[in-house]
């Protein structure tokens, strides 16, 4: 077993970014940098020896699956992978009963599912920490990786401008939580009908959120330009309508030219070149998308450590 002292406080989950304080997010980012540095130097880092992660996928994944699975093994732990179709979840076992059972057998659970209420119900009946691996409403692990990537390339994100171009999806709402917590300004631009819902955002200060009808105006002066697919998982029936609605929200070289000269581009992937982003941008010199994808591995190792062992070092 790890020599580290487990946290003595109440059970912690990571269901959305604001479940953590700014100080805790900054700790996880710094810890991820240390873990990444050791990984690059082939130094063993087995803080989760004898621990088991269960992953529950109710939607498809490449990056989340590989990063959590590889990361847990690299920390000395084990992984169990469940899907809806391959488990009793697909045969209507209540999520509460699934949570009660799984959490008696493993140390940590990562879930990718549909409604945020579903992961909240799971967490309410779990004995172990639950991590949101994406819901319709939030994608907090991705934003941790994005912040780590920004910090690596440009230093602190505090006081910077992040431009979100496209759909008001789980990523955009999580970026908004990050802006509120970490003190940067989020510019958002999307077509009518696909914009942030004031019922969810409240009324953030202009120093936190500014919305623009024109995506070029949203990119102006940005330190980071980022986007995502026009149709997120679970909304495939709307694909054709969305293609027409989002036609002017494709991040291209012209949009990037309005951003700061040293602006970087991120995309959580998978990407559709020629739709939400042009190849000239995602494959161009300002793109950091491969570092961003890799950083899922490092930041989630730090996240799992933090939830199970608290602050280390
Ligand atoms: N960005 C992301 O979550 O990728 P996957 O859907 O492949 O896990």
């Amino acid at each position: 077993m790890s020599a580290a002292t487990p946290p003595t406080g109440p059970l912690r989950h990571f269901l959305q970014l604001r479940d953590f304080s700014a100080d805790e997010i900054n700790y996880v980012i710094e810890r991820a940098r240390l873990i990444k540095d050791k990984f690059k130097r082939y130094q063993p880092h087995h803080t989760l020896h004898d621990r088991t992660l269960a992953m529950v996928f109710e939607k498809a994944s490449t990056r989340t699956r590989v990063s959590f699975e590889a990361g847990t093994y690299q920390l000395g732990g084990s992984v169990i992978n469940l899907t809806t179709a391959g488990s009793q979840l697909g045969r209507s076992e209540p999520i509460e009963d699934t949570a009660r059972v799984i959490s008696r057998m493993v140390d940590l659970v990562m879930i990718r599912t549909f409604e945020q209420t579903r992961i909240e119900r799971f967490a309410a009946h779990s004995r172990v920490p639950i991590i949101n691996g994406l819901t319709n409403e939030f994608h907090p692990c991705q934003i941790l990786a994005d912040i780590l990537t920004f910090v690596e390339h440009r230093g602190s994100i505090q006081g910077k401008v992040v431009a979100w171009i496209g759909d008001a999806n789980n990523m955009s709402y999580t970026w908004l939580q990050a802006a509120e917590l970490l003190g940067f300004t989020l510019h958002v631009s999307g077509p009518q009908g696909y914009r942030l819902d004031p019922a969810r955002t409240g009324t953030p200060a202009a120093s936190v959120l500014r919305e623009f009808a024109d995506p070029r105006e949203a990119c102006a002066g940005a330190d980071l330009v980022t986007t995502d697919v026009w149709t997120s998982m679970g909304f495939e029936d709307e694909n054709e309508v969305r293609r027409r609605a989002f036609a002017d929200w494709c991040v291209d070289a012209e949009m990037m030219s309005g951003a700061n000269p040293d602006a970087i581009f991120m995309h959580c992937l998978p990407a559709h070149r020629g739709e939400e982003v042009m190849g000239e941008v995602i494959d161009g010199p300002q793109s950091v998308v491969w570092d961003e994808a890799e950083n899922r591995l490092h930041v989630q190792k730090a996240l799992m450590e933090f939830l199970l062992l608290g602050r280390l070092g």
Side-chain angles (χ1 to χ4, degrees):
M1 295 292 289
S2 166
T5 307
T8 52
L11 180 61
R12 297 287 302 273
H13 302 297
F14 189 60
L15 307 185
Q16 50 184 297
L17 197 72
R18 70 172 173 223
D19 286 341
F20 283 10
S21 67
D23 186 51
E24 289 169 334
I25 292 168
N26 288 327
Y27 167 79
V28 169
I29 299 298
E30 283 311 304
R31 183 74 182 169
R33 297 184 80 180
L34 180 148
I35 291 170
K36 181 174 182 176
D37 183 60
K38 289 181 74 175
F39 177 77
K40 296 292 181 187
R41 290 192 277 132
Y42 296 97
Q43 290 183 357
H45 184 80
H46 292 163
T47 46
L48 296 195
H49 177 66
D50 271 350
R51 307 289 181 131
T52 304
L53 168 74
M55 302 191 294
V56 181
F57 283 102
E58 300 210 276
K59 292 181 179 177
S61 169
T62 297
R63 280 145 288 271
T64 304
R65 164 86 194 265
V66 175
S67 55
F68 270 106
E69 187 157 341
T72 304
Y73 285 125
Q74 289 160 15
L75 291 174
S78 311
V79 182
I80 296 166
N81 185 41
L82 295 171
T83 61
T84 312
S87 71
Q88 300 291 6
L89 280 169
R91 297 178 64 249
S92 305
E93 180 165 23
I95 195 89
E96 292 83 357
D97 292 357
T98 305
R100 289 181 176 107
V101 172
I102 294 178
S103 71
R104 284 175 178 242
M105 299 179 181
V106 304
D107 301 284
L108 188 63
V109 180
M110 187 288 303
I111 311 179
R112 167 166 286 195
T113 189
F114 292 87
E115 299 81 15
Q116 186 73 8
T117 51
R118 193 161 166 80
I119 197 170
E120 287 169 358
R121 284 163 56 206
F122 196 108
H125 295 84
S126 173
R127 291 183 169 190
V128 301
I130 306 301
I131 296 172
N132 181 345
L134 180 147
T135 58
N136 291 349
E137 287 85 353
F138 298 112
H139 198 0
C141 291
Q142 184 65 57
I143 296 298
L144 285 182
D146 292 6
I147 292 164
L148 170 59
T149 309
F150 189 90
V151 169
E152 285 179 338
H153 283 270
R154 294 290 181 267
S156 172
I157 199 164
Q158 189 173 16
K160 298 289 199 275
V161 174
V162 174
W164 175 265
I165 305 302
D167 191 20
N169 66 4
N170 47 13
M171 284 290 294
S172 65
Y173 283 101
T174 314
W175 269 117
L176 179 57
Q177 290 193 349
E180 286 167 334
L181 282 161
L182 301 178
F184 61 87
T185 305
L186 182 65
H187 288 185
V188 174
S189 179
Q192 197 121 34
Y194 301 93
R195 295 179 183 162
L196 293 169
D197 178 359
R200 284 189 65 189
T201 62
T203 50
S207 58
V208 172
L209 175 65
R210 293 187 64 198
E211 297 183 76
F212 299 84
D214 183 341
R216 283 152 194 79
E217 286 180 24
C219 288
D223 302 286
L224 164 63
V225 177
T226 184
T227 186
D228 195 1
V229 292
W230 290 340
T231 306
S232 293
M233 284 185 285
F235 298 87
E236 288 79 3
D237 290 350
E238 302 173 14
N239 209 15
E240 281 313 308
V241 178
R242 283 170 172 264
R243 272 176 195 272
R244 289 191 288 277
F246 282 90
D248 291 335
W249 278 265
C250 172
V251 179
D252 56 16
E254 186 198 335
M255 275 191 209
M256 290 302 295
S257 70
N260 278 342
D262 67 346
I264 53 178
F265 173 79
M266 290 191 204
H267 189 309
C268 65
L269 305 175
H272 295 163
R273 289 168 176 79
E275 293 191 6
E276 75 276 5
V277 61
M278 294 304 290
E280 67 202 9
V281 173
I282 193 168
D283 300 314
Q286 289 168 284
S287 173
V288 295
V289 297
W290 312 122
D291 291 340
E292 180 188 8
E294 178 189 326
N295 281 338
R296 291 291 300 277
L297 173 72
H298 310 298
V299 88
Q300 288 162 192
K301 287 160 93 171
L303 171 65
M304 290 191 287
E305 263 191 358
F306 180 68
L307 286 169
L308 286 176
L309 307 173
R311 292 181 191 240
L312 302 173

